[in-house]
Amino acid sequence: MAKKKKLLRSLAGEVLDVPPVWLMRQAGRYLPEYRATRAQAGDFLSLCFNPELAAEVTLQPIRRYGFDGSILFADILLIPQALGADLWFVTGEGPRLSTITEASDMARLKGKDDIHDHLAPIYETVKILAQDLPKDTTLIGFAGAPWTVATYMIAGRGTPDQAPAHRLREAEPETFAALIDLITEATIEYLDMQVKAGAEVVKLFDSWAGSLKGDAFDRFAVAPTKRIISELKSRHPDVPIIAFPREAGDKYIGFAREVGADCLAIDTSVDTSWAVQNLQVDGCVQGNLDPKLMVTGGDALKSEARRICEAFKGGPHIFNLGHGITPDADPENVHHLLEAIRG
Ligand code: 1CP
C-alpha cells in the first residue's frame, strides 16, 4: 500500500516531526507565472472556468515550492454565480454581484441541483489535478461557508463590517434564513462533486465568521457548517474537512468538535499558546503565520515560522498562514519560509 500523504496523516491526528505546509492563496498575483497565465486567460473568471489554465495555475506553486497541499484554483463566489447571481470583478477593487435585499430577489435564484452545468469546468479542473499532481501532494477542494457567501450575495461586494447582511438578517429573518439554506444545500452538492472528481480534503472558508456574535454565531456560522459537514461525512466518511471560522476569537473553542471538522484553521490574531491549550486539545490545528512576514521576510520570518512549529509540535499541526498571501509578497520569501520549517 502506498504510504499515506503527509497532509492526510496530520488530518488523521498524527503528530509529525516536520508539519506539512501549504499557503492560503498560494496560486495568485505574487507569482509572475500566475500573472502571465491570467493574462493568457483574459481575466480572473475566464481563468477559473478554463480547466487547463486553472489546473496550470494550481500546479505553479507546487512546481516552484513543493507544498504538501494543493488547493483547487477557483473562488468562493462561483456558487452565487451558479445560483443565478451576476458576478464580475472590477480591476483593482474586487468582486461585484447583483444584490439580495428582499424576498423577490431570492425568487430569481436557481435551485441547489441546478448548479452543475455552470460548475462543470471546475469539476474538470479537479479531475486534471487528481491526475497531474505529484503523488505525495494532497488535493484540497473548497467552498465558502454559507454566512460568508451570503454577505457577498446580499451586499453585492466585499464589506468591512458586513452591515448589509446583518441588516437583512435582522429585518427579514425569513428571507435571510432561506438564503442560508439555499447556499448550504448548494454547497453540499458542489463539494460532493469536487470529491467525486478527486478532491481528497475539503476546506470551508468562513472569512467573515468573526462579525457574528453570540446566538447569531451559533445559528449562522456553526449550524450551516455542521450541516454541510454532516452530509458530506455521510456521503464520504473518509474525506477530512478543514473549517476556518476566521476571527472567531473565543468561539474557536470547541468549534471543530461541534461542527465535526477534522482540523481547525486559525487566523493571525490567535495566540499560539492559547491555541495549544484550547484548540489543539481537540485535534489538528492549521496556521497561523502573519502574511505580512511574507512581504518583509528576513530573520523575523524565519524565527516566527520556527516559533509556530515549536509551539504546535506536541499535537497534529498543518503549517499555513493566518490569511491569504498578498500580491506584494516576495516569492523568494516562500523558499526562506520552507527552509525554516523543513530545515
Ligand atoms: O485578480 C486576481 O487574479 C484575483 C485575485 C483572486 C484569487 C487569486 C480572487 C478574487 N480569488 C482568487 C482565488 C481564490 N480565492 C482561491 C484559490 C487559489 C488559492 O488559494 O491558491 C481561494 C481558496 C479563494 C477563496 C476566497 N475568495 C475567499 C476566502 C478566503 C479569504 O481570502 O478570506 C474570499 C473571501 C474570496 C472572495 C474574493 N475573491 C477574490 C477577491 C479579491 C476576494 C475578496 C473580496 C473582498 O472581500 O474584498
Side-chain angles (χ1 to χ4, degrees):
M1 208 179 84
K3 206 160 160 270
K4 199 166 176 182
K5 300 177 186 188
K6 244 181 117 169
L7 196 96
L8 295 175
R9 289 170 64 193
S10 293
L11 287 167
E14 248 189 85
V15 183
L16 305 177
D17 291 341
V18 176
V21 50
W22 67 281
L23 303 184
M24 277 189 259
R25 292 280 172 101
Q26 63 193 21
R29 284 169 291 175
Y30 74 109
L31 291 179
E33 59 269 37
Y34 169 84
R35 296 195 297 268
T37 310
R38 193 182 67 164
Q40 189 189 339
D43 57 35
F44 173 68
L45 281 175
S46 307
L47 178 54
C48 290
F49 286 101
N50 180 321
E52 280 74 32
L53 296 184
E56 167 58 24
V57 293
T58 308
L59 289 164
Q60 286 167 350
I62 307 304
R63 284 190 209 115
R64 200 190 251 257
Y65 303 117
F67 290 122
D68 298 285
S70 178
I71 187 159
L72 161 71
F73 189 84
D75 197 80
I76 66 163
L77 301 176
L78 305 185
I79 276 278
Q81 194 188 33
L83 286 169
D86 295 329
L87 172 68
W88 67 103
F89 280 80
V90 179
T91 314
E93 287 188 33
R96 294 289 182 274
L97 300 92
S98 44
T99 58
I100 294 188
T101 55
E102 55 189 27
S104 63
D105 297 323
M106 276 297 296
R108 279 195 286 274
L109 296 179
K110 297 182 190 167
K112 71 173 172 78
D113 295 313
D114 304 330
I115 59 175
H116 299 306
D117 282 350
H118 185 75
L119 296 169
I122 311 305
Y123 310 144
E124 188 54 36
T125 307
V126 177
K127 283 185 194 153
I128 296 172
L129 289 167
Q131 286 278 327
D132 290 0
L133 276 168
K135 63 173 182 2
D136 46 3
T137 313
T138 302
L139 178 53
I140 306 165
F142 75 94
W147 160 250
T148 287
V149 173
T151 65
Y152 289 95
M153 292 182 80
I154 294 164
R157 60 192 296 163
T159 46
D161 51 5
Q162 297 74 59
H166 287 293
R167 267 200 304 277
L168 189 75
R169 171 169 81 70
E170 279 157 18
E172 302 234 20
E174 283 169 18
T175 303
F176 180 77
L179 178 60
I180 291 286
D181 282 348
L182 177 62
I183 300 168
T184 301
E185 287 160 12
T187 301
I188 291 167
E189 302 312 322
Y190 180 45
L191 291 174
D192 178 59
M193 291 295 275
Q194 290 186 26
V195 171
K196 285 176 178 153
E200 302 169 278
V201 172
V202 299
K203 178 166 175 183
L204 283 166
F205 288 90
D206 213 347
S207 304
W208 301 116
S211 81
L212 289 166
K213 304 294 175 201
D215 176 52
F217 184 89
D218 299 331
R219 291 175 61 201
F220 302 118
V222 175
T225 299
K226 187 173 178 170
R227 192 174 158 204
I228 292 169
I229 294 179
S230 122
E231 185 57 35
L232 282 175
K233 290 275 181 187
S234 79
R235 299 186 196 183
H236 309 285
D238 298 331
V239 172
I241 298 173
I242 304 171
F244 182 40
R246 191 169 73 90
E247 289 182 358
D250 285 354
K251 298 275 195 183
Y252 273 122
I253 300 175
F255 188 89
R257 219 181 328 126
E258 176 66 25
V259 301
D262 301 86
C263 176
L264 187 67
I266 55 176
D267 67 80
T268 310
S269 71
V270 182
D271 175 72
T272 46
S273 50
W274 182 87
V276 168
Q277 280 172 25
N278 293 288
L279 311 178
Q280 207 181 25
V281 287
D282 285 341
C284 188
V285 166
Q286 176 180 283
N288 71 339
L289 187 86
D290 189 338
K292 285 195 198 85
L293 287 165
M294 303 309 296
V295 182
T296 51
D299 287 343
L301 166 63
K302 291 192 174 183
S303 61
E304 181 60 5
R306 286 195 201 99
R307 189 192 66 75
I308 289 170
C309 291
E310 192 61 26
F312 288 116
K313 76 173 185 196
H317 175 222
I318 297 168
F319 196 99
N320 206 314
L321 308 178
H323 203 190
I325 189 167
T326 50
D328 55 348
D330 181 348
E332 276 310 300
N333 283 336
V334 180
H335 287 300
H336 300 147
L337 171 68
L338 290 172
E339 265 163 44
I341 298 169
R342 292 174 172 167

